[in-house]
Amino acid sequence: MNALYQKIYSGLIKHENKKAAERDKKYHKYDRHRSLGIKADILDKLLKQYKTEVKNLSCKEAFMLAQMLYKDRIEETILVGNFVLQNKFDCIGKSDLSFLDKILDYFCSWSTIDDFCIDVLQPILLKYPNDTLRFLKRWNQSKNMWKRRASVVTFVRKVGESGKFTNEALALCENLIWDKQDLVQKGVGWCLKDIMRGDKKKVFEYVKELRKRGVSVTITLYAIRDLKGAERVEALKNFTRATKKFF
C-alpha cells in the first residue's frame, strides 16, 4: 500500500501548478482547503494510469489506500480516494458505511464532496437505500457543513430525476432551509432543482411555498433554474424587485 500510495502521490506532485492552485482559492474560500492546482484533464489521465492497479487491490487494501489519500486533505488526493472507492464499489457493504462517515471528516471543499456524492454515495444509496438514508439523516444535522451538503447533494442528477427518493430528499432539504452556510444553501437548491425533474408538481409547489416563507433566494432561485415560460412566471410571482435583479 505504501508503494502504490507513494507512486500516486509522486505522480500528483510532478504535475503541481502553484499558480493554478492560487487561482483555485477564489472558488474555495474556506479554512483548510489545499490544492495542487492540477487541471481536470491531467488528473483524469493520471487516474487512468492507476486504474488496473486499483482494480487488483483486495478490499482491505483499497480501504487502506483510500484512507491514506483522504488523510492528506488535499483536493487532488481526496479525488483519487474517491476514484479508488468508485472502482472498488463491490467491496462496500452496509457495515462499511461507518467508514464513509469517518472519511468525510477529511473533506474540505464542495468539489470533492460533490464528486463523492455522485460517484461513490449514489450507487450505495441505490444498493442499500434504508441504511444509507439513516446516515444521510445523521449528516443532515451534523456540525460539519460538508456532511450537511452531502445529505442533500446525494439526490442530484439521475437519482433526483428518477423520482425514487423525492419525499426523503424534501424532508432533508426542509431541515436545511435556514442553514447559514452558503454552500449548504446551494446544495439544497441544487437538490430541489433535480428532484423537481422527478416529481415536478410536488417539488414546484414546495419551492413556491419556500418563497412565501422568506427562504433565502440562494436556495429558491437555484431551484427554479430549469423552469421556463408560464411556470417560470408563476414561480417568480412571489419574488421582490431586488430578487429579480439578482436573478
Side-chain angles (χ1 to χ4, degrees):
M1 275 309 85
N2 286 331
L4 181 53
Y5 165 79
Q6 288 297 335
K7 181 179 179 180
I8 293 172
Y9 188 82
S10 297
L12 293 173
I13 292 298
K14 286 180 182 178
H15 292 85
E16 183 177 11
N17 185 328
K18 293 183 179 179
K19 288 185 178 180
E22 198 62 33
R23 291 195 299 270
D24 197 34
K25 289 182 180 180
K26 295 179 181 179
Y27 303 100
H28 299 281
K29 298 176 181 179
Y30 31 81
D31 294 339
R32 299 190 303 166
H33 179 262
R34 183 187 169 196
S35 166
L36 298 177
I38 301 174
K39 292 183 178 180
D41 59 335
I42 294 176
L43 182 60
D44 287 341
K45 289 180 181 178
L46 288 172
L47 292 177
K48 289 178 181 178
Q49 293 178 19
Y50 309 130
K51 190 167 185 175
T52 299
E53 290 178 90
V54 169
K55 289 276 192 180
N56 290 333
L57 294 173
S58 68
C59 292
K60 183 178 180 180
E61 289 171 336
F63 285 129
M64 288 175 61
L65 176 60
Q67 186 165 25
M68 292 169 72
L69 291 161
Y70 288 130
K71 280 187 174 181
D72 283 331
R73 297 179 186 269
I74 302 172
E75 181 87 2
E76 290 81 0
T77 62
I78 291 175
L79 290 172
V80 180
N82 291 348
F83 174 80
V84 172
L85 294 184
Q86 181 187 1
N87 281 278
K88 299 297 291 185
F89 172 70
D90 290 342
C91 289
I92 304 174
K94 294 180 183 180
S95 60
D96 298 305
L97 288 172
S98 57
F99 170 77
L100 302 183
D101 180 43
K102 292 177 182 177
I103 62 173
L104 279 188
D105 290 328
Y106 300 122
F107 284 60
C108 49
S109 75
W110 57 265
S111 50
T112 51
I113 280 290
D114 296 353
D115 181 78
F116 173 82
C117 288
I118 294 166
D119 290 339
V120 179
L121 202 55
Q122 285 190 350
I124 296 172
L125 172 65
L126 296 174
K127 189 176 182 180
Y128 306 114
N130 294 331
D131 299 273
T132 306
L133 285 168
R134 277 197 288 272
F135 272 91
L136 293 178
K137 290 175 182 177
R138 186 187 305 174
W139 294 350
N140 193 246
Q141 301 178 43
S142 173
K143 293 180 180 180
N144 184 329
M145 77 169 185
W146 303 119
K147 288 186 177 181
R148 299 201 303 278
R149 181 177 171 95
S151 73
V152 288
V153 171
T154 301
F155 300 97
V156 303
R157 296 188 181 175
K158 290 183 179 180
V159 169
E161 292 170 6
S162 72
K164 292 181 179 179
F165 300 98
T166 302
N167 291 334
E168 292 85 352
L170 282 174
L172 293 171
C173 285
E174 175 67 20
N175 292 337
L176 298 177
I177 58 173
W178 305 112
D179 199 288
K180 295 180 180 180
Q181 291 292 339
D182 177 69
L183 287 169
V184 175
Q185 292 179 16
K186 288 177 178 176
V188 172
W190 185 11
C191 177
L192 291 172
K193 176 178 72 68
D194 285 6
I195 64 173
M196 194 183 299
R197 295 174 180 176
D199 192 336
K200 178 172 280 188
K201 184 178 180 180
K202 177 179 287 188
V203 182
F204 184 37
E205 290 302 318
Y206 176 74
V207 172
K208 288 193 295 182
E209 185 62 29
L210 289 183
R211 273 313 302 157
K212 293 177 182 178
R213 292 161 64 186
V215 169
S216 168
V217 296
T218 299
I219 293 175
T220 52
L221 287 176
Y222 204 117
I224 66 170
R225 281 187 174 187
D226 283 349
L227 299 182
K228 297 178 181 179
E231 288 179 332
R232 187 175 184 78
V233 172
E234 183 180 354
L236 290 170
K237 281 181 179 178
N238 296 310
F239 284 65
T240 65
R241 287 184 180 179
T243 299
K244 291 179 182 178
K245 288 181 180 180
F246 173 84
F247 189 74

